[in-house]
Structures are given as structure tokens and as C-alpha cells.
């Protein structure tokens, strides 16, 4: 945790944790060896364009948008898994060139390696990011993060023996174990039942409070975004999706999921989000 | 309880059908219903017992025990097959990962794969001037294609999530290959290896008829002796060995089955 304190001491510079400048991504069709249609189809598909966004250190930001608008694309760009077609991504004042262990990524379908046990999945991440660490160190650290998500007992189980919620907790532990300063999550709770989801949301919040990480969360759920975020970023419908609005959620923390729904501020933002999503989804439907 | 009864029942049915088969065979042969002098099941079982009771004698290349011949064949298969796997897996990974490797190698694979490996036998004899190495060479060619193709397919169809995780952690290419790609495609590699082994075991019998020694040559030799019952003995032994080899890979495949 020393790393964190040194980070905060240098964080009063005048840049945000994450800055996106005119970010755009066009998917070009892969060239086939023999492609008869190639003449007409050179243009490609513009998923997102002109994305400008600033995210402050240790804040919790959610991204919401209609299905297929390019949320995952945006997250993959920030993670460095894909290269943008235009624009740039700046983290702590430095343009990124690719993926890095400063960003922990949590994928929608858990993405655990099925041939590794729970603890081995975390050890894989640790060994990759900290090759100098000893075996015992790695094991100890992996245990610590499994404990953190309450899965110490399942450490020798294989992913196929775990429930969806447990798998997602392993994925969270894996992403956190490398001590990232940014957590990128792509609809992490989308596939879970309501109870497990709210349980994991609370867990995520407490982890976020304790670990001081910047979280970028992609979600379909307005309630989830409102419950968790400091800021909600609304994306327009694709193709060529843009950021249509940024909404600050200045609701007091800790937020109680029962009481919050009576808060007039909450209701106001919720209505605004619903209206936006409805409008953008309708736009999608009219296009297709 | 139900399961115990049903396994016992299956076992009983299997024994019964075997008995019926043996008796029918004996009756048909005895009555000369097929051709004259066709060996009956009793005679064949007698030879089988004779060969199996002393399997490892060696009275020169034309008079080897059936176990000795079997070991000669197995040795050729194992060497040629292992060499093939050692070549096919890395080459398959390369083909699966690189478009360039894929498009430059695939035409050869597609062209050579449908050729009977026996066509390579004269080539081997001409180049190596040695029947032992030629046998190994023919098995090598036989075994390479299924493992190569399955490996390349496995890499090409690997779950992109695994690669994304690896990439997001900043893993090097070699780490990704060793710790992610190879374990992920283990089921594909094993499926390929199983088919390769099956084909190799088919081909060795035919190849050895032309090479001298080995279980295939044993058959050829007994044909020259007009001893059909000994040929049946060899068929039973070959089938049984092939079955054991296949079961071994089935066992490995179960071990590396990651699915739910
Ligand atoms: N590799 C790719 N090649 C071509 N087109 C792609 C590729 N990846 C995504 N797209 C397209 O880009 C658009 C945005 O995709 P993306 O997965 O980012 O949407 P999303 O907002 O995450 O959708 P969802 O809410 O369904 O997860 C889609 O129209 C999709 O078809
Ligand atoms: Mg998505």
C-alpha cells in the first residue's frame, strides 16, 4: 500500500487520472486473401468517435448507453487491448501505448482460465505482473485477495465448480491482486441474479473505499449506476457513438439502496437517465 | 443398486454374444459353408493360446514370437509418432497464431493430407536405404496431419477472453503461449493425437507387410504359410492393442476436459 501514498502525494498535479482526447475507433474489415467485395467495402465501421472525457483519481464512474453503442469498445481502448483509430488516452499525464498492470480489467463473462484453480488464476496474474516475487509471496498475496472476496475456502476449486457470483468474485480478486490504480469493469454483474448482484455491489463499494482505486464501470442498469457512481457518462446510440451527457451524482455516501429511492435528487437523475436511454434505444430501433 | 444390475446385465449380454459368435464361427467353418479349410474358432483360439503362452521367442526374422513382433511395431509407431507430435504441435501453434504461416503452409497440408502415407514408403526406402527408418518415417508422415490440423484449429478458435486477460496483464508472447494457449488447446491437441495414433496403428500393419518384421510382416508371413488361423490371431492382437492405445487417449482427454 506504500505505492498508493506516493501516488496521492504526486496527485495534486493539474491532470486527471484518466483523460480521453477525441478518441475514435473504426473497425475495418479484415482483408481476405481473395476478397471479391473488397472494392466497395473499404470504409469500415465507426463504433465511437470524438470521445472526450476526464476522470478524477479515486472516483467511481459509470458508463451507460444503449446496447451495441460501443461501451465495450471504449473500455477495451482504455485497457489498451485495442488501439484507437484516432485520438489519445492519457493516464496520469502520460499517453498509454498498450495494456498495463496499472489497470485491472474485469470482463463480462469472468474470463477465468478453466484449467487453473481459483487460487492459480490469481497466481497467474501475480506471476505475470510481478515475475520477481517468490512462490511463497505470490501464494500469500493470492490468499489475501481471495480472503478479501470471501472465497478462501474455494481456493482449490476449479471455475466450473463455482457459481456465477463466485466466479465474478474471483475475477475481481484477480484484477485487484495486481494492485492497479484503475479498475475497468465491463458489465460485471449483468449475468447474476438480483440478490448476488446487490451483494457484490456492496462488496465492490467497500473494496473501492478501502483500496482507493479509480473505477470505470460499464453497466446496463440505471439503478446500479446511481447507487455506485460519482459520475455517470451517457453514450449515444451507435454507429459513431459519442458521449451525449455527463451527470454528477452528488448523493451522499454511504448510500442505502432502500432509502435512496425516496431521495428526490435520486429520482430526478433517474428520470433523466431513463428518458435518455429510451430516446437513444428508440433511435437504435429506428435505424435497424 | 440399479446401476450395479445394469452393468452386470451388460456384461452378461457381452459374454453371451461372444459365445454365440464363437459357436457360429465354428459351425460355419466346420460345415465348410464359407470356403473349404477355413479355420474354425476353436482352432483359432488354440493358436491364440499357443502364441500368447510364449510370446517373446526369436528364431530369426521369419520366426518371431507374436509379442516380439508387436513390440517391434509399437516401437516404430512410438518413435515416428512422437517425432510427429513434436513437429506438429509447435507448427500447429504457429499456423494458428500467424496468418502468414497459415496461408503459406496450409496449401501443403491440404495437398499432402489426403495422400496415403504408404505412397511415401518407396521414397523412404530410396532416401534412407533402411527399412527400420523407413517404417518410422512413414508413421511420422501418417501421424503429423491430424495433430497439426487439430492444434492449429484449437489455437484459431481459442476463447478470446483468455488472450485478453493475458494481454491486459501485459504478458509476453512466450508466457501467453506457454501458460495460456497451450493449456487452452490441450483438448484439441489430445483429440488430434488420438486420431494420429489410430491412423498410425492402421498404417503400420500395411507398411510392415513390405518392410519385414513387425506384426504386419507377421501377417504377410503367415499368408505365405497359408495359416489363416495365425492371421486371425494377429488381427485379434492388433485390435486389442489399438483398443488399449485409444482408451489411453480417451483417459487423457477426460483428464483435460475443461467443460462443465
Ligand atoms: N472487432 C470488431 N469488428 C467489427 N465490429 C466490431 C468489433 N467489435 C465491436 N464491433 C461493433 O462495434 C459496435 C460496438 O460494439 P461494443 O461491443 O463496443 O458495444 P457495447 O456497447 O459494448 O454493446 P453491449 O451493450 O451489447 O455490450 C457494435 O456495433 C459492434 O458490432
Ligand atoms: Mg459490451
Amino acid at each position: 500500500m506504500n505505492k498508493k501514498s506516493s501516488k496521492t502525494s504526486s496527485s495534486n498535479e493539474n491532470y486527471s487520472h484518466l483523460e480521453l482526447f477525441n478518441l475514435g475507433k473504426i473497425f475495418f474489415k479484415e482483408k481476405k486473401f481473395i476478397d471479391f467485395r473488397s472494392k466497395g467495402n473499404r470504409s469500415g465501421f465507426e463504433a465511437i468517435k470524438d470521445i472526450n472525457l476526464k476522470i478524477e483519481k479515486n472516483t467511481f464512474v459509470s458508463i451507460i448507453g444503449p446496447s451495441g453503442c460501443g461501451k465495450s469498445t471504449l473500455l477495451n481502448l482504455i485497457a489498451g487491448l485495442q488501439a484507437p483509430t484516432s485520438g489519445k488516452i492519457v493516464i496520469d499525464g502520460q499517453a498509454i501505448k498498450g495494456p498495463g498492470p496499472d489497470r485491472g480489467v474485469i470482463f463480462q463473462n469472468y474470463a477465468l482460465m478453466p484449467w487453473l484453480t481459483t487460487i492459480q488464476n490469481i497466481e497467474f496474474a501475480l506471476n505475470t505482473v510481478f515475475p520477481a516475487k517468490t512462490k511463497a509471496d505470490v501464494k500469500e498475496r493470492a490468499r489475501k485477495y481471495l480472503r478479501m472476496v470471501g472465497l478462501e475456502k474455494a481456493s482449490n476449486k476449479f471455475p466450473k465448480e463455482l457459481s456465477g457470483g463466485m466466479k465474478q468474485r474471483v475475477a475481481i480478486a484477480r484484477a485487484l491482486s495486481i494492485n492497479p490504480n484503475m479498475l475497468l469493469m465491463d458489465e460485471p454483474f449483468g449475468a447474476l441474479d438480483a440478490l448476488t448482484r446487490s451483494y457484490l455491489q456492496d462488496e465492490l463499494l467497500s473494496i473501492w473505499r478501502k483500496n482507493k482505486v479509480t473505477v470505470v464501470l460499464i453497466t446496463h442498469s440505471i439503478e446500479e449506476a446511481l447507487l455506485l457512481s460519482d459520475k455517470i457518462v451517457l453514450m449515444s446510440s451507435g454507429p459513431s457513438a459519442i458521449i451525449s451527457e455527463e451527470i454528477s451524482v452528488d448523493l451522499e455516501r454511504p448510500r442505502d439502496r432502500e432509502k435512496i429511492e425516496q431521495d428526490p435528487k435520486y429520482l430526478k437523475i433517474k428520470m433523466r437517465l431513463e428518458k435518455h436511454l429510451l430516446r437513444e434505444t428508440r433511435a437504435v430501433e429506428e435505424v435497424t | 443398486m440399479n446401476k450395479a444390475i445394469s452393468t452386470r446385465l451388460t456384461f452378461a449380454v457381452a459374454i453371451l454374444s461372444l459365445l454365440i459368435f464363437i459357436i457360429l464361427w465354428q459351425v460355419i467353418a466346420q460345415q465348410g459353408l464359407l470356403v473349404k479349410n477355413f479355420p474354425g474358432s476353436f482352432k483359432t483360439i488354440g493358436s491364440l493360446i499357443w502364441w500368447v503362452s510364449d510370446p517373446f521367442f526369436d528364431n530369426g526374422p521369419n520366426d518371431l514370437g507374436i509379442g516380439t513382433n508387436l513390440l517391434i511395431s509399437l516401437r516404430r509407431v512410438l518413435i515416428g509418432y512422437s517425432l510427429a507430435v513434436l513437429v506438429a504441435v509447435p507448427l500447429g501453434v504457429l499456423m494458428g497464431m500467424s496468418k502468414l504461416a497459415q496461408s503459406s503452409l496450409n496449401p501443403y497440408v491440404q495437398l499432402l493430407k489426403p495422400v496415403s502415407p504408404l505412397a511415401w514408403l518407396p521414397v523412404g526406402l530410396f532416401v534412407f536405404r533402411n527399412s527400420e527408418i523407413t517404417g518410422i518415417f512413414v508413421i511420422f508422415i501418417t501421424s503429423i496431419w491430424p495433430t497439426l490440423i487439430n492444434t492449429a484449429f484449437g489455437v484459431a478458435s481459442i476463447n478470446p477472453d483468455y488472450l485478453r486477460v493475458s494481454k491486459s496483464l501485459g504478458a509476453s508472447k512466450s508466457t501467453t503461449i506457454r501458460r495460456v494457449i497451450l493449456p487452452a488447446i490441450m483438448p484439441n491437441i489430445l483429440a488430434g493425437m488420438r486420431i494420429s495414433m489410430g491412423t498410425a496403428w492402421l498404417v503400420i500393419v500395411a507398411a510392415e507387410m513390405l518392410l519385414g518384421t513387425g506384426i504386419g510382416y507377421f501377417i504377410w508371413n503367415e499368408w505365405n504359410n497359408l495359416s489363416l488361423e495365425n492371421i486371425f490371431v494377429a488381427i485379434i492382437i492388433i485390435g486389442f492393442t489399438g483398443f488399449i492405445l485409444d482408451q489411453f487417449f480417451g483417459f487423457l482427454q477426460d483428464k483435460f476436459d475443461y467443460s462443465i
Side-chain angles (χ1 to χ4, degrees):
Chain A
M1 298 288 117
N2 301 347
K3 201 174 137 205
K4 297 283 180 189
S5 52
S6 69
K7 254 183 319 188
T8 21
S9 63
S10 64
S11 72
N12 35 9
E13 324 251 351
N14 57 352
Y15 42 72
S16 315
H17 192 181
L18 170 70
E19 296 167 305
L20 310 178
F21 295 105
N22 299 322
L23 205 59
K25 176 74 185 175
I26 301 174
F27 290 107
F28 291 102
K29 282 236 169 63
E30 249 177 61
K31 253 194 273 180
K32 294 248 172 67
F33 192 58
I34 302 169
D35 192 350
F36 295 108
R37 297 169 308 162
S38 57
K39 276 175 209 141
N41 237 333
R42 259 297 96 89
S43 53
F45 177 86
E46 185 174 48
I48 56 174
K49 73 163 187 185
D50 291 335
I51 301 280
N52 287 286
L53 184 65
K54 281 192 166 63
I55 292 179
E56 302 306 324
K57 204 168 242 347
N58 299 339
T59 55
F60 199 124
V61 175
S62 294
I63 299 177
I64 283 199
S67 191
C69 71
K71 304 182 292 293
S72 298
T73 304
L74 179 57
L75 201 82
N76 284 339
L77 294 182
I78 299 172
L81 294 171
Q82 292 171 352
T85 317
S86 55
K88 71 176 172 178
I89 298 164
V90 176
I91 290 177
D92 287 328
Q94 293 220 299
I96 65 155
K97 294 193 184 70
D102 59 320
R103 284 151 282 159
V105 189
I106 294 173
F107 299 93
Q108 181 162 11
N109 22 10
Y110 325 124
L112 301 177
M113 318 270 177
W115 57 91
L116 299 177
T117 61
T118 304
I119 193 157
Q120 285 170 340
N121 264 286
I122 299 174
E123 285 170 356
F124 168 71
L126 289 169
N127 285 325
T128 308
V129 175
F130 309 112
K133 267 197 165 43
T134 64
K135 256 196 179 135
D137 262 7
V138 164
K139 184 145 247 138
E140 181 48 43
R141 203 181 161 92
R143 274 220 193 87
K144 178 182 141 191
Y145 280 90
L146 270 182
R147 208 176 304 135
M148 185 170 172
V149 295
L151 278 180
E152 219 186 353
K153 286 214 186 77
S155 64
N156 290 321
K157 289 207 160 123
F158 284 93
K160 67 178 171 191
E161 302 170 278
L162 304 179
S163 71
M166 289 159 97
K167 279 186 228 177
Q168 194 55 284
R169 273 145 74 191
V170 178
I172 292 172
R174 177 175 62 187
L176 287 170
S177 70
I178 58 170
N179 197 21
N181 0 17
M182 191 183 294
L183 210 49
L184 304 171
M185 314 177 87
D186 191 352
E187 298 187 37
F189 311 133
L192 305 175
D193 64 276
L195 271 177
T196 313
R197 189 183 313 148
S198 39
Y199 176 67
L200 284 188
Q201 285 166 347
D202 293 344
E203 212 161 354
L204 174 62
L205 269 183
S206 88
I207 285 169
W208 170 63
R209 256 201 315 272
K210 274 187 233 143
N211 289 261
K212 287 286 169 216
V213 282
T214 308
V215 178
V216 180
L217 171 87
I218 285 173
T219 175
H220 263 127
S221 157
I222 292 173
E223 288 81 10
E224 180 169 276
L226 278 166
L227 186 72
L228 303 176
S229 334
D230 299 313
K231 180 157 88 175
I232 299 177
V233 176
L234 288 169
M235 287 180 74
S236 71
S237 54
S240 310
I242 54 165
I243 290 181
S244 45
E245 232 177 311
E246 287 178 43
I247 300 173
S248 297
V249 187
D250 44 4
L251 302 169
E252 249 167 61
R253 290 182 193 271
R255 296 170 190 167
D256 184 303
R257 72 177 71 242
E258 265 98 53
K259 279 191 220 139
I260 200 175
E261 285 172 21
Q262 270 110 54
D263 189 333
K265 251 200 263 176
Y266 173 95
L267 293 171
K268 211 174 118 198
I269 306 175
K270 188 177 173 191
M271 219 132 85
R272 198 162 140 204
L273 289 169
E274 274 169 353
K275 235 159 76 190
H276 168 89
L277 270 189
L278 199 65
R279 193 174 57 234
E280 292 299 335
T281 308
R282 202 172 286 146
V284 173
E285 249 129 65
E286 272 157 21
V287 167
T288 49
Chain B
M1 182 194 77
N2 250 339
K3 207 175 166 191
I5 291 177
S6 86
T7 40
R8 219 176 293 168
L9 192 68
T10 349
F11 188 69
V13 170
I15 293 287
L16 192 68
S17 80
L18 184 65
L19 280 177
I20 293 173
F21 173 74
I22 287 172
I23 290 166
L24 268 180
W25 178 0
Q26 181 62 24
V27 169
I28 289 171
Q30 218 164 3
Q31 304 299 314
L33 294 178
L34 204 57
V35 282
K36 269 219 163 76
N37 294 328
F38 191 82
S41 54
F42 294 171
K43 196 173 174 193
T44 304
I45 291 169
S47 315
L48 180 64
I49 291 169
W50 187 87
W51 282 107
V52 171
S53 58
D54 180 17
F56 295 114
F57 64 81
D58 182 353
N59 304 327
N62 282 339
D63 193 8
L64 292 174
I66 196 132
T68 315
N69 271 321
L70 187 68
L71 287 182
I72 290 172
S73 303
L74 278 173
R75 204 183 70 121
R76 286 175 179 151
V77 166
L78 249 50
I79 295 175
Y81 173 82
S82 304
L83 290 174
V85 170
L86 285 180
V87 173
V89 170
L91 208 60
V93 170
L94 185 70
M95 279 178 74
M97 287 180 71
S98 141
K99 281 256 149 64
L100 186 69
Q102 158 80 24
S103 48
S104 53
L105 291 173
N106 203 34
Y108 299 100
V109 175
Q110 296 306 332
L111 201 76
L112 296 178
K113 184 181 60 135
V115 178
S116 166
L118 292 173
W120 291 94
L121 202 133
V123 180
L125 283 173
F126 183 84
V127 173
F128 301 117
R129 320 239 155 197
N130 174 317
S131 64
E132 190 61 30
I133 298 177
T134 302
I136 291 170
F137 168 70
V138 167
I139 292 305
F140 173 82
I141 302 264
T142 308
S143 310
I144 204 160
W145 311 121
T147 305
L148 175 66
I149 289 163
N150 269 276
T151 305
F153 175 78
V155 176
S157 56
I158 195 170
N159 184 342
D161 278 344
Y162 306 153
L163 299 177
R164 250 181 263 154
V165 168
S166 177
K167 196 174 173 191
S168 78
L169 293 166
S172 66
K173 209 156 208 157
S174 100
T175 303
T176 304
I177 292 175
R178 279 181 301 112
R179 308 279 319 267
V180 180
I181 293 181
L182 280 179
I185 62 168
M186 233 13 229
N188 302 82
I189 295 179
L190 285 172
M193 283 173 68
R194 188 179 191 173
I195 302 170
S196 285
M197 180 51 89
T199 332
W201 193 237
L202 287 178
V203 166
I204 192 66
V205 174
E208 281 175 344
M209 291 191 182
L210 304 161
L211 289 176
T213 71
I215 196 83
Y217 184 70
F218 175 92
I219 291 183
W220 188 248
N221 206 20
E222 295 306 325
W223 165 239
N224 288 332
N225 296 340
L226 278 178
S227 167
L228 215 53
E229 68 274 12
N230 283 347
I231 292 177
F232 281 129
V233 168
I235 287 173
I236 292 167
I237 301 255
I238 291 167
F240 188 70
T241 311
F243 173 74
I244 299 282
L245 289 171
D246 192 61
Q247 286 301 298
F248 171 68
F249 281 98
F251 167 78
L252 281 185
Q253 278 184 307
D254 285 346
K255 283 239 134 183
F256 285 90
D257 185 4
Y258 307 135
S259 60
I260 312 140

